[in-house]
Amino acid sequence: MVERSSTWEEAYRSVKSLWELEPDHALREYATLVPDGTVLDLGVGDGRNALFFAEMGYEVEGVDISQTAVERCVERAKKANLKVKAEVRDLKEVDIPQGKYSLIIAAWVLNFFKKTEAEEIIKRIRNGLKKDGFVYIGVFSINDPSYERATKSLEVVEECTFFSHYFTKEEVLSLFAGLKVIYCAEGMELNLGHGDPHYHGFIEYMGQMRISD
Ligand SMILES: C[S@@+](CC[C@H](N)C(=O)[O-])C[C@H]1O[C@@H](n2cnc3c(N)ncnc32)[C@H](O)[C@@H]1O
């Protein structure tokens, strides 16, 4: 698979803000259910979700492969008088401490791995949750228009993996089997937040580790 770290770095350097600044709506909707403690944002970007939880009083940690994204996240937090501990790390190598987190967020990042790599990261996410901890995942689905294009022009690296991996709802639910489903939605959305208007096929999932697990 093509090395992506420099691509993300270039993307962040090319514009002041790559994404919308609002948190993902499912996170906003269910935030009050998340137990006190620490939130980890994997692929934190410039921090829209991380800052939202810092503002709610959680300890927040974030990692991202782009130095510029991490710097922007920390800067935005400082300006808002909030604290987010963000570091430059590749998710393939991030060690997630067992049972530490009240919430782990992986928003719109797991597509950028092969299927087997994403599965490995998800195993670490599950392991990192507190007994009553939550996970939030946002991924692009096989209904994304770029999936159809990829099937015609790109080499298949693994099942549903070309340059990116595209998920199905069944796949997401089975990767989080055993967790209580708090929210799960799939659909198509017109994105006006970055670049030219375009559609994305998406799946959003929020689950909670059961206390009895
Ligand atoms: C589509 S953006 C989403 C950013 C943020 N989660 C949000 O929702 O606003 C994907 C993010 O994942 C980061 N990323 C991509 N590959 C990564 C990797 N291997 N390790 C860590 N971060 C990565 C990118 O730098 C980028 O910030």
Side-chain angles (χ1 to χ4, degrees):
M1 186 159 289
V2 176
E3 182 48 66
R4 294 230 177 177
S5 54
S6 55
T7 315
W8 284 109
E9 186 53 27
E10 278 162 29
Y12 278 102
R13 283 188 195 174
S14 68
V15 284
K16 267 200 170 152
S17 186
L18 260 185
W19 324 111
E20 300 160 40
L21 297 180
E22 288 296 301
D24 282 296
H25 95 273
L27 284 173
R28 187 191 282 283
E29 186 81 13
Y30 298 105
T32 54
L33 299 180
V34 175
D36 288 348
T38 309
V39 172
L40 173 64
D41 191 342
L42 300 170
V44 65
D46 46 20
R48 64 195 177 100
N49 291 322
L51 264 70
F52 172 71
F53 282 96
E55 203 163 6
M56 286 188 71
Y58 293 88
E59 295 277 316
V60 181
E61 300 172 8
V63 295
D64 200 285
I65 203 153
S66 159
Q67 172 95 38
T68 301
V70 165
E71 284 169 6
R72 279 190 196 160
C73 174
V74 172
E75 224 169 83
R76 285 185 60 207
K78 260 193 200 155
K79 267 192 190 153
N81 216 11
L82 298 168
K83 203 172 152 221
V84 173
K85 192 176 148 212
E87 283 180 4
V88 178
R89 301 289 299 278
D90 186 335
L91 289 196
K92 281 187 244 169
E93 286 148 23
V94 169
D95 185 30
I96 304 178
Q98 186 176 4
K100 174 173 177 182
Y101 293 100
S102 298
L103 167 68
I104 300 182
I105 301 167
W108 319 106
V109 62
L110 291 173
N111 294 94
F112 306 112
F113 298 89
K114 293 182 202 166
K115 179 181 166 71
T116 46
E117 290 169 344
E119 285 169 356
E120 176 50 39
I121 295 167
I122 288 172
K123 265 192 210 153
R124 281 185 265 138
I125 291 176
R126 291 184 62 130
N127 188 52
L129 295 177
K130 294 208 301 206
K131 285 289 181 201
D132 53 354
F134 284 72
V135 57
Y136 169 80
I137 302 289
V139 286
F140 302 117
S141 73
I142 57 166
N143 295 320
D144 195 279
S146 64
Y147 173 77
E148 179 72 19
R149 291 197 295 275
T151 58
K152 291 182 182 142
S153 58
L154 296 178
E155 182 197 347
V156 180
V157 178
E158 287 181 3
E159 188 190 344
C160 291
T161 306
F162 307 90
F163 194 51
S164 306
H165 177 64
Y166 295 87
F167 288 80
T168 65
K169 189 173 164 188
E170 294 67 36
E171 180 183 6
V172 171
L173 287 170
S174 86
L175 287 165
F176 289 102
L179 273 72
K180 181 175 170 188
V181 179
I182 302 295
Y183 177 80
C184 188
E186 73 177 323
M188 287 286 268
E189 192 174 53
L190 179 62
N191 189 309
L192 304 169
H194 63 104
D196 293 333
H198 56 285
Y199 282 93
H200 276 306
F202 69 87
I203 299 162
E204 280 185 286
Y205 168 86
M206 191 151 179
Q208 185 183 23
M209 195 60 100
R210 292 168 203 256
I211 300 189
S212 58
D213 281 352

